[in-house]
Amino acid sequence: MQYRSRFFTGLGIAFLVALLNGVSLTAFYPLFDALGDQGERFYIQLSKHERKLLQKAVLIHFYKVELPEQLTGQQLSDRDWKLYLIPEVPEKIREEQSKAVLDALKDPPASRFSAIDRFHLITVVKWKLKINESGYSPRMVIFTALTIVFPIYLLRLVFHLVSVRLIAGTGYMAIRDLRRDLYNRLHELPLNNFYKEKTGYLMSRIIHDVELVAAVISSNMRDAITNIFFILTHVLLLVYLNYKLLFISMLTVPIILSPVSLFSRKINKSTRRSQDLLAELSGVLQEDISGVRTVRSFAVEDWMTSKFRAKNERYTWRSFKELFYIRMGPNLVELMSSLVTIGIIALGAYFIDGVNFTGGEFFAFLLTLLFIIRPIIQLSGMFGKIAQAEAAGERIFELLDSKPDVVDPPAPRPLQKMTQGIEFRSVEFAYPGTDKKVLNGVSFSVKAGQTVALVGESGSGKSTMMDLMARFFDPTAGQILIDGVDIRESRIHDHRSRIGIVQQEVFLFHGTIRENITYGRPGYTVKDAERAARLASAHDFIERFPEGYETVVGERGVMLSGGQRQRISIARALLYNPEILILDEATSALDTESEQLVQKALDRLFRNRTTFVIAHRLSTIEKADLILVVSGGSIVDRGTHADLMQREGLYARLQQISREAMQDR
């Protein structure tokens, strides 16, 4: 455990807080007895058992100390003899006798008393005799008790705050680490997980589920530990005050806690369903916000509103049921506790005898019992929260325990600058969870610095080949080699750091143009961003904005046109300066003017690097060094543009279709 010392220090201090609270309650014991006492002096009562222990200690002391002194000539008077005889109940032990017998309690022999009796003598009995020796008036006893209680409560408060800082702080740091591990795991998940799961589901696990667990292992865990220590220490005090009454009280504990077991399963089931509905609600909301242009363009606001309302109503009802179950258990526990308290008060009338169990002891017992009932009620409420956290934890660890399909090798090879080229060798691939091959026996070689174009129908496997190149997935069979070394022998981060990708759907982050160009590299300056933007033919339109490079582009870059976003993406790739460049349909959605500007920027980007181009507009790849024609997951033809046109195969037909489409625009 990373924070073990901090946590156990907090536990020790929490136990000390519970002890201090118990000590403060013992001060109320003489206070309650002194209330209503009309005598000039206050004398606290000793029980029969305490008198028996005291008499035994006095006799041992007499034969060890007083009798030898008598034999040496120091005679005891009758009055002195009486001081060593402990009176029977209900007579109280007054000042003079208390002072005389206190010497007998300085060091009772361990061989003559059990450990419990000896401890009782030198603590409780000695404390009572000290009170009687003082000869205080009842009013003075009350003021003294209150004077003692105040600094104890103050000290308890200080230690309580320290324990909160240590225990709750440990919980929050653990949650911080859990959220960090979840985020790291998110980056290791296979890409098809993101295709299958809604964004709202993943966000719900990292945010809402973690918050439920956080509540339990931070503040709730601190409260539970404090409450358990309170119960343990205060039960010991109740044992001393009246173990018989305590035993009767403990028989009612199963009755008090019965509502907890009744509702815990319902809470667990309701929480799991509630979190699923919250994830669905988040998913609908995320889709609505991300696709707001589509929603409005199709005028389906009412339909989306009704969809959201239905999810919201289901989640609201489920949340209400969850909260009802959570609250109902503790409320029933509190009701049962109140009934038990009434019964204890009734039993108190039977046990109070003024000697073995005084009125002050009963009120101290009742006050201590009430102190215990509060932690019991809080602990009963914890069961509901634990059930919530258990359901959330299952969802969290389902994500944490998922195995990434792309992992680093045990002994990764250091990355070297590519000098020879790239080779696909008999590569096959099927997406996880399916048996259908997307790629089948793909083999080709590319020299360093060449430009390779991939053409073919939609779904033929072009993008999948590049996903394998970037190690978003690993081949089911075969190898991808760079300079003769399998890319799986390098660290994933090192391999991807040599690759730049410009996609058709450019993703810009909410921030400034400068931040998007220098994304992930805060060391770059505005001048670096400007130099890359000039090469990407983006500087002119950026300068036309009032705030220039500090212009905020909005969510996903909605403040920019498609061509502008694409040129920002190219500027980002130019600044990144990768060895290998992948362009996936980078110009297919642009108008003619934007395409010309982007193509000009791409020509600069192609220089001195190995480039893979996937394009529907075949006019953009005619200058490629090698064109691979892909169909049905296999390479059916390859060569230069001129070679492929002469063969009049699939490539020639695709070129004809592309030109006809351009003429129709």
Side-chain angles (χ1 to χ4, degrees):
M1 185 178 178
Q2 189 175 356
Y3 310 107
R4 185 179 301 167
S5 59
R6 180 190 184 96
F7 178 73
F8 283 108
T9 302
L11 283 184
I13 295 175
F15 184 71
L16 182 60
V17 170
L19 284 177
L20 287 173
N21 196 73
V23 170
S24 67
L25 285 175
T26 60
F28 285 102
Y29 165 29
L31 184 149
F32 287 136
D33 271 337
L35 288 172
D37 192 325
Q38 301 299 320
E40 293 184 4
R41 295 286 184 269
F42 172 77
Y43 303 105
I44 196 166
Q45 188 64 274
L46 273 72
S47 67
K48 288 182 179 180
H49 179 65
E50 289 170 340
R51 290 169 189 261
K52 188 182 294 185
L53 290 176
L54 181 59
Q55 185 66 78
K56 183 178 178 180
V58 168
L59 289 175
I60 292 171
H61 176 75
F62 174 78
Y63 284 110
K64 285 180 64 178
V65 179
E66 301 296 344
L67 187 59
E69 290 181 357
Q70 181 185 5
L71 294 175
T72 58
Q74 297 181 12
Q75 299 295 322
L76 289 173
S77 64
D78 291 341
R79 184 171 175 275
D80 292 334
W81 275 104
K82 289 181 180 179
L83 292 176
Y84 289 101
L85 295 176
I86 306 303
E88 296 291 331
V89 294
E91 186 179 343
K92 295 182 178 180
I93 302 174
R94 301 181 183 275
E95 297 106 311
E96 188 178 6
Q97 189 173 23
S98 296
K99 184 177 181 180
V101 299
L102 273 171
D103 288 338
L105 301 183
K106 287 181 179 178
D107 188 24
S111 60
R112 306 298 295 272
F113 295 94
S114 67
I116 295 176
D117 286 343
R118 188 172 186 275
F119 179 77
H120 191 77
L121 271 172
I122 62 178
T123 54
V124 178
V125 175
K126 189 174 182 179
W127 167 68
K128 288 184 176 182
L129 291 174
K130 286 279 189 183
I131 293 175
N132 291 349
E133 181 194 16
S134 66
Y136 287 158
S137 65
R139 184 175 296 179
M140 190 63 184
V141 169
I142 294 172
F143 289 151
T144 303
L146 294 175
T147 304
I148 292 172
V149 166
F150 177 73
I152 291 176
Y153 272 124
L154 190 62
L155 191 62
R156 192 194 71 168
L157 175 63
V158 172
F159 282 130
H160 177 69
L161 293 175
V162 174
S163 70
V164 168
R165 178 74 177 85
L166 293 173
I167 297 175
T170 301
Y172 279 115
M173 284 189 283
I175 286 299
R176 176 199 64 192
D177 294 345
L178 176 62
R179 193 176 281 114
R180 179 199 62 204
D181 292 343
L182 272 172
Y183 184 76
N184 292 340
R185 176 61 69 187
L186 203 64
H187 285 289
E188 297 173 354
L189 288 177
L191 277 182
N192 61 317
N193 279 45
F194 296 93
Y195 302 151
K196 292 188 295 183
E197 290 276 14
K198 285 186 176 181
T199 305
Y201 279 84
L202 295 173
M203 291 178 63
S204 178
R205 292 190 183 189
I206 296 176
I207 298 173
H208 302 298
D209 289 352
V210 170
E211 282 302 313
L212 285 177
V213 176
V216 169
I217 70 171
S218 54
S219 58
N220 290 333
M221 180 179 68
R222 177 207 69 215
D223 293 339
I225 290 170
T226 303
N227 288 333
I228 289 170
F229 284 156
F230 262 58
I231 292 171
L232 291 176
T233 53
H234 289 56
V235 162
L236 294 176
L237 180 58
L238 292 176
V239 168
Y240 162 71
L241 290 172
N242 195 310
Y243 70 90
K244 294 179 182 178
L245 193 56
L246 173 63
F247 178 73
I248 295 172
S249 303
M250 290 182 67
L251 292 177
T252 64
V253 170
I255 300 173
I256 293 174
L257 296 180
S258 58
V260 173
S261 58
L262 179 66
F263 286 100
S264 59
R265 287 185 180 179
K266 291 181 178 292
I267 292 169
N268 188 299
K269 181 180 178 182
S270 187
T271 298
R272 190 179 292 109
R273 185 61 188 136
S274 177
Q275 290 302 104
D276 287 341
L277 288 171
L278 179 60
E280 291 179 17
L281 188 67
S282 300
V284 171
L285 187 60
Q286 188 269 337
E287 286 181 342
D288 195 2
I289 294 173
S290 300
V292 63
R293 292 174 64 90
T294 304
V295 170
R296 293 184 181 181
S297 64
F298 282 91
V300 291
E301 291 93 338
D302 292 341
W303 180 76
M304 287 298 295
T305 300
S306 63
K307 185 178 179 182
F308 179 83
R309 185 186 297 117
K311 297 285 186 186
N312 190 33
E313 287 178 358
R314 289 181 64 196
Y315 172 66
T316 301
W317 171 241
R318 180 58 64 176
S319 298
F320 169 75
K321 288 181 68 176
E322 179 186 1
L323 184 63
F324 175 79
Y325 293 145
I326 290 172
R327 299 295 186 196
M328 198 62 185
N331 285 335
L332 289 176
V333 169
E334 188 171 0
L335 174 63
M336 301 301 295
S337 301
S338 301
L339 296 176
V340 168
T341 303
I342 293 172
I344 295 299
I345 293 173
L347 283 171
Y350 171 77
F351 280 98
I352 294 173
D353 59 7
V355 178
N356 295 310
F357 195 53
T358 66
E361 287 176 318
F362 171 71
F363 282 113
F365 183 96
L366 186 61
L367 183 63
T368 306
L369 188 65
L370 292 175
F371 264 100
I372 288 180
I373 287 175
R374 180 186 59 83
I376 289 175
I377 293 172
Q378 289 183 348
L379 285 174
S380 68
M382 273 289 295
F383 282 98
K385 293 172 182 176
I386 289 172
Q388 280 186 308
E390 182 183 0
E394 289 177 4
R395 289 160 52 90
I396 289 171
F397 284 101
E398 181 183 323
L399 187 60
L400 282 175
D401 294 339
S402 58
K403 302 294 183 183
D405 56 357
V406 179
V407 295
D408 284 327
R413 298 182 60 156
L415 199 66
Q416 303 291 334
K417 184 176 176 62
M418 184 174 64
T419 57
Q420 300 172 27
I422 301 168
E423 180 185 358
F424 275 59
R425 184 181 294 173
S426 303
V427 171
E428 297 181 1
F429 179 72
Y431 282 103
T434 65
D435 296 326
K436 183 181 178 181
K437 289 184 179 180
V438 181
L439 297 178
N440 188 14
V442 173
S443 297
F444 65 89
S445 298
V446 180
K447 293 181 180 179
Q450 283 189 327
T451 297
V452 180
L454 286 82
V455 299
E457 310 98 327
S458 295
S460 59
K462 306 183 298 295
S463 295
T464 302
M465 290 167 61
M466 294 302 98
D467 285 345
L468 297 180
M469 181 70 234
R471 282 206 75 190
F472 294 149
F473 303 96
D474 279 337
T476 308
Q479 293 176 293
I480 301 174
L481 310 169
I482 295 180
D483 288 350
V485 178
D486 195 316
I487 61 174
R488 288 172 290 196
E489 295 183 22
S490 302
R491 288 180 64 241
I492 297 170
H493 178 269
D494 292 343
H495 173 68
R496 289 177 184 165
S497 66
R498 75 198 310 174
I499 298 175
I501 302 176
V502 179
Q503 300 177 357
Q504 176 186 355
E505 295 183 8
V506 177
F507 190 97
L508 296 185
F509 296 88
H510 185 78
T512 65
I513 292 175
R514 175 186 57 80
E515 289 170 342
N516 272 280
I517 293 176
T518 62
Y519 175 70
R521 290 161 180 79
Y524 284 116
T525 64
V526 177
K527 289 185 178 180
D528 295 323
E530 183 179 329
R531 184 166 55 252
R534 287 182 184 276
L535 291 172
S537 302
H539 177 73
D540 291 341
F541 83 78
I542 293 173
E543 284 296 300
R544 286 196 290 270
F545 289 118
E547 297 181 11
Y549 284 84
E550 298 305 315
T551 301
V552 176
V553 300
E555 189 80 18
R556 293 175 175 265
V558 294
M559 305 300 292
L560 305 178
S561 68
Q564 290 171 337
R565 288 198 297 270
Q566 196 64 271
R567 280 176 276 169
I568 295 293
S569 175
I570 293 170
R572 184 162 59 194
L574 282 165
L575 191 64
Y576 188 34
N577 194 27
E579 284 186 273
I580 302 167
L581 180 66
I582 298 173
L583 274 74
D584 192 351
E585 313 283 5
T587 62
S588 62
L590 302 180
D591 55 57
T592 304
E593 182 181 357
S594 296
E595 182 182 356
Q596 290 174 352
L597 290 170
V598 170
Q599 191 61 50
K600 184 179 178 182
L602 289 175
D603 290 340
R604 296 192 185 100
L605 189 58
F606 290 172
R607 293 173 189 166
N608 303 317
R609 70 186 84 248
T610 305
T611 306
F612 293 89
V613 182
I614 301 172
H616 282 151
R617 295 185 186 177
L618 301 188
S619 58
T620 61
I621 49 93
E622 292 178 357
K623 298 178 182 178
D625 299 304
L626 175 65
I627 299 174
L628 302 175
V629 184
V630 185
S631 179
S634 300
I635 297 175
V636 296
D637 208 349
R638 69 187 72 197
T640 63
H641 170 71
D643 294 337
L644 294 171
M645 290 300 292
Q646 285 180 356
R647 293 176 193 154
E648 297 183 352
L650 177 59
Y651 178 78
R653 292 198 300 274
L654 292 173
Q655 276 283 8
Q656 183 179 355
I657 294 170
S658 177
R659 285 171 182 164
E660 289 174 355
M662 290 293 293
Q663 290 173 0
D664 292 339
R665 291 177 62 180

